[in-house]
Amino acid sequence: MSVLQTLGQQAKQASYELATASTRAKNKALMAIADGLVTHQTEILTANNKDIEAGRANGLTEALLDRLLLDESRLSAIAADVRSVAELADPVGEVIEGRLLENGLRLSRRRIPVGVMGVIYEARPNVTIDVAALALKTGNAAILRGGKETVHSNMVLTRVVQQALAAAELPMQAVQYIENPDRALVAELLRLDNYVDMIIPRGGAGLHKLCKEQSTIPVITGGIGICHLYADASADLEKVVDVVENAKVQRPSVCNALDTLLVHEAAAAELLPALAERLAQSGVELRACEQSLPLLAGSSANVHAAGAEDFDQEWLALILGIKVVADLEAALMHIREHSSEHSDGILTNDMANATAFVNGVTSAAVYVNASTRFTDGSQFGLGAEVAVSTQKLHARGPMGLVELTTYKWVIEGDYTVRS
Amino acid sequence: MSVLQTLGQQAKQASYELATASTRAKNKALMAIADGLVTHQTEILTANNKDIEAGRANGLTEALLDRLLLDESRLSAIAADVRSVAELADPVGEVIEGRLLENGLRLSRRRIPVGVMGVIYEARPNVTIDVAALALKTGNAAILRGGKETVHSNMVLTRVVQQALAAAELPMQAVQYIENPDRALVAELLRLDNYVDMIIPRGGAGLHKLCKEQSTIPVITGGIGICHLYADASADLEKVVDVVENAKVQRPSVCNALDTLLVHEAAAAELLPALAERLAQSGVELRACEQSLPLLAGSSANVHAAGAEDFDQEWLALILGIKVVADLEAALMHIREHSSEHSDGILTNDMANATAFVNGVTSAAVYVNASTRFTDGSQFGLGAEVAVSTQKLHARGPMGLVELTTYKWVIEGDYTVRS
């Protein structure tokens, strides 16, 4: 047995114990994690400092170093998040539906943990605690694989979690970490289908592609948002400027930020100059289609002609694609071709167009007259966000605790046979 | 663009139309399929006869030829099934949940079709109609790939479906069939993730393994049942004989038939001889563990010592593995190691053991005092059965119409921005 197979087997074994652990025991472990983050603060920050120094030596940018960094206040925030997870309702054990069949069998569908989650992530060490807490709350074991840039931090954080599990008399092997930086282990994890029930990648497009292509385990792909807003001819154009600004500027580095604005040709001449002026105030660069370029000429915004691939970009930056379309149907066609099915919306005062847009767009989150920035577990009231799924099976959009569970059918009879 | 990419693109395009088709239009198409099976009977049976003759020439067994065979009464039965699907409730459009957020946004989760289903199946031509009907009812487009043994039948059946779609003014390309027998096309279909949202294999373990390993599209694996019953010491042993006989003998060729009986050691001496006599009446061959062998000596059953792999078999035949275990915990350990997580049960009069078993087994269907033979969409009251999932994500056990749908979040505001 390889090291990873052993680890997988242990995680699977632990998952059976965790699946039947009481909410009280799981919450006790969560509170112990939160406490442990405080009591082991020096140890954690020392390990994190090693990661930061190694990162600096390896020439990581300041922005990336800041993502890796832990300090007293960030640790407190992470601990507070864990305490919040403890306060959420435990979805495990819910009877989703149940009935008595004609033959006397009692049939019910009962919510249970998925089993063992494999989580592959990049950069930020808070994900280690975040994922461990959500897995634990939902009775799942987890095998974690973070980026090599944070391995020292992650190893100490994993130890804090394991000590908390032990303190709550839960199996320590319920949360394990793959320390070895060899990339071959990621490939092996993705094929550990004997033991791992679900793979959640948290990172860039490359990581999601790798998982989709190599995993023999069901993967939740997502997190990549090529997001659109379509400004209809009927829209209140002043308000369109506000919404587009919010969707693009408020936090450009996240997946629900706007990437492309589609504009009905009847609204373009009025909307685009005003919009460009507003966005110029935040330094937004525009990548404009041929039809919109003349309308933007003379604006104080930084305007470029859109290139061939500019409408397939998740910008994650202060850049916005602008395209004029002939009508709603053309907007739908564009979105179907270019959207990553994360978050897409229409801005309109026309009921029929709003309905046609909502019906015609199959993205995980479809908006009418709102910023795409709302696609988020806490905004949607889910209490926690594990990931944002853009695939079709199991879960779509922000995933909360329930999406880390599955169900089994329980059938009770009186030595009942099928006739 | 390859032939398959074109086909995928057409299916995707059709899926958008189908997603917003009315229940009335979809049902009209379903009734037209049922009618078409009758009006095109001669054409269908002629094509099927070609398949049968080719199969006979290729030396297929009589059992397999019988699976391929269509005749007037089988066609009528298939048509009746399609009419039943038309009568089922349409799950598409259901608002699963909805609420008003504090910021004034209206949030709802709306049930929608998955999109494009790729279905890969073997042998029986009725699957072509079956899958087309279920896909159509749920607003999904489908790309079908049947076995080469039934290609003539399947092509005619697909034409019947496409004519019915046209008659209902729905896109004909919503149901398409890959005619070319080249296996490379299956591999290509499994990587057509730009257009296909879900792969459902219907066939043996080899097909499921192929899909799991090669697909970049989410796959519903399942259909393989290595099913267990555990006879507890407290069980009513005469009734255990009835249930085991039912689970093994009633229809041994299906996935929910019993494969291994686990017996508490305190019950073995009384249970096993009586059970062997009963099973011998149906010609069941026993593969018995070392501890059970002496208890079966002298029985009129055909008893063999169990080989190393006999407890990892889905028998699909009148063969039953027998294993004596020390206690419930040992039974759970055996099931966790050997079950395919399809259907497993306990036979007991002890409440605590029943509870521990149900909590401890993570299979899709967990039974207390009933035959495993009930794991079936129609027995569970789902109205239809698309497949039986044994994986953890999206769906478990018998999948009905709802399991061919997913959801999107719809968010409606008043030009609402995130603060």
Side-chain angles (χ1 to χ4, degrees), chain A residues 50-66:
Chain A
K50 272 196 214 169
D51 287 328
I52 295 288
E53 282 180 9
R56 193 160 280 136
N58 288 323
L60 295 190
T61 63
E62 283 304 315
L64 196 48
L65 287 171
D66 184 63

Side-chain angles (χ1 to χ4, degrees), chain B residues 121-136:
Chain B
Y121 52 104
E122 295 166 348
R124 293 178 297 174
N126 64 305
V127 175
T128 304
I129 294 296
D130 194 21
V131 166
L134 296 168
L136 175 54

Side-chain angles (χ1 to χ4, degrees), chain A residues 216-253:
Chain A
T216 60
I217 302 162
V219 178
I220 298 288
T221 50
I224 312 301
I226 302 177
C227 302
H228 299 75
L229 283 173
Y230 164 59
D232 190 31
S234 68
D236 187 329
L237 299 185
E238 283 180 37
K239 292 179 182 170
V240 167
V241 173
D242 294 338
V243 174
V244 171
E245 179 188 36
N246 181 262
K248 179 70 257 179
V249 172
Q250 199 214 20
R251 204 170 163 204
S253 65

